[in-house]
Amino acid sequence: DIQMTQSPSFLSASVGDRVTINCKASQNINRYLNWYQQKLGEAPKLLIYNANSLQTGIPSRFSGSGSGTDFTLTISSLQPEDVATYFCLQHNSWPYTFGAGTKLELK
Amino acid sequence: QVQLQQSGAELAKPGSSVKISCKASGYTFTSYYISWIKQTTGQGLEYIGYINTGSGGTNYNEKFKGKATLTVDKSSSTAFMQLSSLTPDDSAVYYCARLTTEGPDAWGQGASVTVSS
C-alpha cells in the first residue's frame, strides 16, 4: 500500500496567516491527490481534487499544488471557519490511502 | 444536491453483525460507485472498499476482506455494508462516499458502530 506522510500533525496560526500543509507519498501518485476538510463531528468535505483543482463552492483562498510524491495545501488567508482537521488522500492506486491528518487551530 | 443519508448509530455485541445503509439522492445512483471508509482515533481514515452500483461488482481492501460485505439495492438507491464477527477493533465511525474518477466527493454523515459486551 502507498503510505501518505502528512505534516505537520498540528498547526496553530492567526487569522489572516498563510498556512501550508504537506503530504508526501511513498511512491509516485502522479496528480491523484485530494484534500479534505473535517470539522468536529462532521463528515470530511472535498476541497481540492487531482492535486490542484478547486471543488465547486470552495473558497478561492484554498489551493493545492504538487505532483509525483510531494503535495501542498495552502490557505492564503486563514479564516476562523477554517479551524478543522485536514486530510490528504491518494487515489492513484488501490487501496486508496489517507494521510494521518493536520489539526489546525487558531492562535 | 447530492446527498448520502446513512443509518443511525449501532451498539453491537462481540461476534455479532451489523448492517449500515447509505441512501443516495440528488443524482443518478447507478452512474457512480459508492465507497466505504472507516475512521478511528487510532488508525485514522481507512478505505474499506467500493461497489459498482450498476453491476453490484465489488473491490475490497485486503485488510477488510471477510469483515465487510458491500451490497446495493438499485430500486431504492441504497448501498449497504455488513460488518461481521464484530470485535472491539471494529468500533469506529463508518462513512459512505460517492466515488468519482476524481476520488470520493460527497460523503454521508457517518454511522457510529460501538462493539461492547
Side-chain angles (χ1 to χ4, degrees), chain A residues 73-87:
Chain A
L73 172 70
T74 300
I75 308 173
S76 60
S77 178
L78 186 67
Q79 300 302 303
E81 61 266 31
D82 300 335
V83 168
T85 300
Y86 294 83
F87 297 96

Side-chain angles (χ1 to χ4, degrees), chain A residues 3-22:
Chain A
Q3 306 304 313
M4 302 301 298
T5 302
Q6 191 172 336
S7 63
S9 301
F10 182 81
L11 185 54
S12 182
S14 301
V15 173
D17 281 355
R18 183 181 182 87
V19 169
T20 60
I21 297 169
N22 301 294

Side-chain angles (χ1 to χ4, degrees), chain A residues 12-93:
Chain A
S12 182
S14 301
V15 173
D17 281 355
R18 183 181 182 87
V19 169
T20 60
I21 297 169
N22 301 294
C23 254
K24 187 174 183 67
S26 60
Q27 62 192 76
N28 179 21
I29 58 169
N30 300 294
R31 302 182 72 84
Y32 296 111
L33 188 285
N34 292 359
W35 291 99
Y36 297 85
Q37 175 194 66
Q38 186 176 31
K39 296 184 178 179
L40 199 62
E42 298 183 6
K45 178 197 291 186
L46 177 61
L47 301 175
I48 302 286
Y49 62 92
N50 292 348
N52 63 1
S53 295
L54 189 67
Q55 175 70 347
T56 302
I58 300 302
S60 59
R61 64 180 179 274
F62 291 93
S63 64
S65 63
S67 65
T69 60
D70 292 287
F71 301 85
T72 299
L73 172 70
T74 300
I75 308 173
S76 60
S77 178
L78 186 67
Q79 300 302 303
E81 61 266 31
D82 300 335
V83 168
T85 300
Y86 294 83
F87 297 96
C88 60
L89 165 77
Q90 70 80 18
H91 59 100
N92 181 77
S93 303

Side-chain angles (χ1 to χ4, degrees), chain B residues 1 10 29 32 37 51 81 84 92 94 98 101 111:
Chain B
Q1 73 280 23
E10 300 267 7
F29 181 65
Y32 298 89
I37 296 119
I51 186 164
M81 178 174 68
S84 60
Y94 292 88
R98 190 177 75 163
T101 52

Side-chain angles (χ1 to χ4, degrees), chain B residues 60-69 82-85:
Chain B
Y60 294 94
N61 183 340
E62 282 291 330
K63 179 177 178 179
F64 293 96
K65 284 184 178 177
K67 171 61 63 179
T69 302
Q82 178 162 317
L83 300 169
S84 60
S85 303

Side-chain angles (χ1 to χ4, degrees), chain B residues 8-101:
Chain B
E10 300 267 7
L11 174 60
K13 295 204 181 303
S16 69
S17 298
V18 295
K19 192 170 186 178
I20 302 167
S21 65
C22 172
K23 183 172 176 59
S25 60
Y27 70 99
T28 301
F29 181 65
T30 53
S31 294
Y32 298 89
Y33 295 1
I34 291 289
S35 58
W36 292 86
I37 296 119
K38 178 183 183 182
Q39 185 171 35
T40 59
T41 304
Q43 297 296 315
L45 291 157
E46 298 177 279
Y47 238 102
I48 296 170
Y50 59 83
I51 186 164
N52 180 326
T53 52
S55 68
T58 55
N59 192 16
Y60 294 94
N61 183 340
E62 282 291 330
K63 179 177 178 179
F64 293 96
K65 284 184 178 177
K67 171 61 63 179
T69 302
L70 306 183
T71 56
V72 67
D73 176 8
K74 289 188 285 187
S75 68
S76 63
S77 299
T78 303
F80 300 91
M81 178 174 68
Q82 178 162 317
L83 300 169
S84 60
S85 303
L86 291 169
T87 73
D89 286 344
D90 298 316
S91 296
V93 176
Y94 292 88
Y95 292 99
C96 61
R98 190 177 75 163
L99 189 57
T100 76
T101 52

